[in-house]
Amino acid sequence: MKSLLFLVLISVCWAEPHPGNSSLEHERIVHIQENGPRLLVVAEQAKIFSHRGGNVTLPCKFYHEHTSTAGSGTHKIRVKWTKLTYDYLKEVDVFVAMGHHRKSYGSYQGRVSLRESSENDASLVITNIRLEDYGRYKCEVIEGLEDDTAVVTLNLEGVVFPYSPRLGRYNLNFHEAQRACTEQDSVMASFDQLYDAWRSGLDWCNAGWLSDGSVQYPITKPREPCGGRNTVPGVRNYGFWDKEKSRYDVFCFTSNFNGRFYYLIHPTKLTYEEAVQACLKDGSQIAKVGQIFAAWKLLGYDRCDAGWLADGSVRYPISRPRKRCSPSEAAVRFVGFPDKKHKLYGVYCFRAYN
């Protein structure tokens, strides 16, 4: 019993050569140390909400169990922030700090720092938030042989929208879908973003790529062409498909913007090229699909005039349903991809603020 009690009390033991007899290669002095306070890392909030262009602090503090001290003083504290991916074996480096040394990585360079409001504060400050910053972040604190972690999710205010190109339905592989969203001032939506959009009423019968490589679609009103009339509402999952060969639509996500979205008042209707030039002449650019969705969802933009957008589509945003203007629901109405050279419409422009 005494031997068992002795083993339980041992926390750390290490060995070194005996200074008095270096010829005895296998002789060692064993050091015994009792259990000390365990390092704990805590995130005060599991989810943080922000928006594109904003600044945010991801909370993280560290303590020693049963004490109020931040560190033991024996070892330097190393703080490492990474972004978690859908592949749990991979993490994206964001920021590392140890003593006076600081290093940020990739797209985070120049935008991240530690708050350090106290000696145990490892909270990460991110400035000028981008759409791709959305996701789960891990705060890891290391002191000697001890380490602990906490995870914080950064959510962005925004809108999910389905997208298909001029070629029509189911024409994008995964990589083309990524580019399509980027070209329309957005990123591929995550499952969580699509799920939140479904809970808010998004109903779409075409399956689309998500950022984790899965193909899914949201149904709030079950019907025969969309999985069957007798099925329950939900986000339908096609599973994971070949990213090179499989072709579907895509769900994109965008957030608010730093600029002005507007319908250009012009004396005549315009072809596509005339629309592009009219926006340029007005000191703007022809608006993108992500911008019309953001203006509609986040700013309540409402206009019953169909207008050209950058991808060659014609759409109009309705926030207040009424006769002749989407009488049944608030939505960004899709007219189609008309002939660019001969069809005439208005145009939506976007002017970025510096």
Side-chain angles (χ1 to χ4, degrees), residues 12 33 37 39 62 64 70-79 98 140-148:
V12 177
Q33 179 179 311
L39 181 67
F62 57 96
H64 279 84
S72 66
T74 307
H75 304 281
K76 283 188 175 181
I77 298 291
R78 182 173 185 262
V79 176
M98 184 171 180
E140 181 178 18
V141 179
I142 305 167
E143 183 185 23
L145 297 176
E146 289 198 69
D147 71 280
D148 196 19

Side-chain angles (χ1 to χ4, degrees), residues 123-160:
S123 302
L124 185 73
V125 178
I126 307 177
T127 61
N128 190 23
I129 290 174
R130 302 175 182 179
L131 293 176
E132 55 270 25
D133 291 343
Y134 165 89
R136 298 167 66 239
Y137 291 79
K138 184 177 77 175
C139 172
E140 181 178 18
V141 179
I142 305 167
E143 183 185 23
L145 297 176
E146 289 198 69
D147 71 280
D148 196 19
T149 62
V151 174
V152 184
T153 298
L154 173 59
N155 285 334
L156 299 183
E157 178 188 29
V159 57
V160 171

Side-chain angles (χ1 to χ4, degrees), residues 56-72:
V56 72
T57 299
L58 305 184
C60 179
K61 290 190 175 183
F62 57 96
Y63 308 90
H64 279 84
E65 195 174 30
H66 308 311
T67 75
S68 59
T69 58
S72 66

Side-chain angles (χ1 to χ4, degrees), residues 198 219-222 231-236:
W198 167 74
I219 294 296
T220 59
K221 301 182 287 290
T231 57
V232 298
V235 177
R236 309 282 166 78

Side-chain angles (χ1 to χ4, degrees), residues 11 15 21-22 50 60 80 86 114 129 158 197 199 205 223 233 255 267 277 304 310 330-332 336:
S11 172
N21 191 346
S22 59
S50 190
C60 179
K80 182 178 182 180
Y86 298 105
L114 292 186
I129 290 174
R199 292 185 62 187
C205 201
R223 51 202 182 274
S255 185
Q277 293 304 314
C304 199
V332 174

Side-chain angles (χ1 to χ4, degrees), residues 262-277:
Y262 62 101
Y263 180 82
L264 181 65
I265 303 301
H266 196 273
T268 62
K269 299 296 183 182
L270 308 162
T271 65
Y272 176 79
E273 285 302 324
E274 290 171 342
V276 171
Q277 293 304 314

Side-chain angles (χ1 to χ4, degrees), residues 286-300:
I286 188 169
K288 299 178 179 181
V289 176
Q291 291 162 346
I292 194 173
F293 271 95
W296 164 73
K297 182 69 173 181
L298 304 177
L299 302 178

Side-chain angles (χ1 to χ4, degrees), residues 243-268:
K243 292 183 177 181
E244 299 290 343
K245 297 178 181 179
S246 300
R247 294 187 173 273
Y248 292 96
D249 293 346
V250 63
F251 289 99
C252 304
F253 173 84
T254 192
S255 185
N256 63 338
F257 44 70
N258 185 28
R260 178 188 172 217
F261 173 89
Y262 62 101
Y263 180 82
L264 181 65
I265 303 301
H266 196 273
T268 62

